[in-house]
Amino acid sequence: MSILRIGVIGAGAIGMEHIDRLQNKLVGSKVVAVCDINEANAKKAADAYGVRIERDMHAVICADDVDAVVVACYDPAHAEAVLACIARGKPVFCEKPMATTKEDCKRITDAEIAYGKKLVQVGFQRRYDKGYLQLKQFVESGEGGAPLMIHCAHRNASVADNYDTTYAVYSTAIHEIDALHWLIDDEYISAQVLIPGSTRHTRPDFLKDPQMMILRTKKGVVIDIEVFVNCRYGYDIQCEICCEDAIIKLPEPSFPIIRKDAMLTRRLETDWKQRFIEAYDVEMQDWIDSSLRGEMNGPSAWDGYVAAVTADALVKSQTTGAVEPVLTGETPAFYK
Ligand code: ISE
């Protein structure tokens, strides 16, 4: 098989972008079928990219000409789609979150282990970002000594009206949750959220913004993540790792530095899709290549489970204010 024939479940914003990159930018893939509970979305994809519309996710997953599946639908429907792919033995790329409850995530890891082969890759694209890869390489080189603290900021200019306090974890900090334990090859043991006064640009009864999230790891690293989703000025991702002998910081997106009117300025991204566009491409290409080779390389179903358990502990702390344990249990040998 030199071309991976793909079915896409969900053709909303991110689904449509994935269809575009699979059809027009990446190598070795062809989208053959799509479905969306919103028929207009499916029709738009069918018209723009010449793909067949199927009636629902199961029709996509079971189609004989679909070798592999991209899940980009409504978050609560992810688990059903991923489980159905595993049942058919088809590789699946699932946008984050892999599932909306840790119980469903566990169901997925159990099903994959029972199937006996990795089939799932979760859409944690930061692992494919050049800057994060440079951080990881530096930490692994041992040049800076052991990591001690990590300071992060995840800032969005603004968010949609339905974005509430829990989304700050489930939709936003979830990226740091996944990327940071991978960066330092460590495990979370506890989680806490500190909530300062909210910005005037939010309705604090619905969305407390900003929030400060604290994670501690097994090796003793303390991580702080500022999530500020009404920061107004742009899309800004910061990550600084303080090690024993060095400090390393995530590079800024590359824009020229302009000197004008007695000012030194540099543009910022305004949008997360643009900020991580290359990472999305590399991530999806890796999924295509590994699916064609019959293996799975990227963030695994276990990583999806760890993210869900950690996120739940943070969300619990949003209400209790307490330090909550992160209880993922032993990593199964299958995922080591
Ligand atoms: C969104 O879902 C993302 O994935 C973005 O990376 C994040 O910055 C944003 O806050 C989320 O809502």
Side-chain angles (χ1 to χ4, degrees), residues 96 125-126 154-156 159 163 171-172 175 229 235 237 272 276 280:
K96 57 90 194 168
Q125 88 286 356
R126 298 250 183 121
H154 188 150
R155 304 191 186 114
N156 292 219
V159 281
Y163 185 110
S171 174
T172 299
H175 287 291
V229 296
Y235 184 68
I237 300 299
W272 47 273
F276 287 109
Y280 281 115

Side-chain angles (χ1 to χ4, degrees), residues 112-286:
E112 203 179 35
I113 292 171
Y115 184 77
K117 190 177 157 203
K118 283 194 202 152
L119 290 171
V120 182
Q121 177 171 327
V122 185
F124 286 128
Q125 88 286 356
R126 298 250 183 121
R127 294 191 187 200
Y128 292 89
D129 175 72
K130 223 188 258 166
Y132 277 97
L133 285 164
Q134 287 165 339
L135 295 187
K136 184 160 175 65
Q137 213 172 26
F138 182 80
V139 171
E140 281 176 355
S141 74
E143 238 181 285
L148 305 171
M149 295 181 288
I150 309 182
H151 307 297
C152 301
H154 188 150
R155 304 191 186 114
N156 292 219
S158 61
V159 281
D161 288 344
N162 66 343
Y163 185 110
D164 69 13
T165 296
T166 66
Y167 275 51
V169 175
Y170 290 133
S171 174
T172 299
I174 198 84
H175 287 291
E176 275 77 15
I177 293 173
D178 177 67
L180 300 177
H181 79 88
W182 162 81
L183 260 185
I184 57 174
D185 189 22
D186 204 343
E187 288 168 41
Y188 302 124
I189 54 167
S190 74
Q192 186 181 22
V193 180
L194 305 176
I195 303 192
S198 285
T199 164
R200 71 177 194 285
H201 299 296
T202 189
R203 272 182 38 215
D205 56 324
F206 187 68
L207 166 61
K208 295 194 172 27
D209 185 43
Q211 300 178 33
M212 178 61 85
M213 305 182 188
I214 315 284
L215 294 168
R216 280 176 180 271
T217 73
K218 214 169 176 174
K219 293 180 192 161
V221 179
V222 174
I223 298 168
D224 58 86
I225 309 163
E226 171 206 309
V227 173
F228 189 10
V229 296
N230 282 290
C231 82
R232 311 317 262 190
Y233 69 83
Y235 184 68
D236 194 6
I237 300 299
Q238 301 287 327
C239 179
E240 182 177 85
I241 311 181
C242 302
C243 305
E244 291 166 302
D245 301 308
I247 289 174
I248 180 163
K249 201 166 172 6
L250 187 69
E252 298 286 347
S254 121
F255 284 112
I257 296 167
I258 299 172
R259 289 169 166 80
K260 185 168 179 261
D261 300 333
M263 299 278 283
L264 192 62
T265 57
R266 185 162 65 183
R267 243 197 74 186
L268 282 174
E269 289 291 4
T270 50
D271 175 73
W272 47 273
K273 287 181 215 123
Q274 249 346 90
R275 168 67 178 81
F276 287 109
I277 194 153
E278 278 172 36
Y280 281 115
D281 290 347
V282 181
E283 149 192 81
M284 197 55 98
Q285 187 67 59
D286 186 39

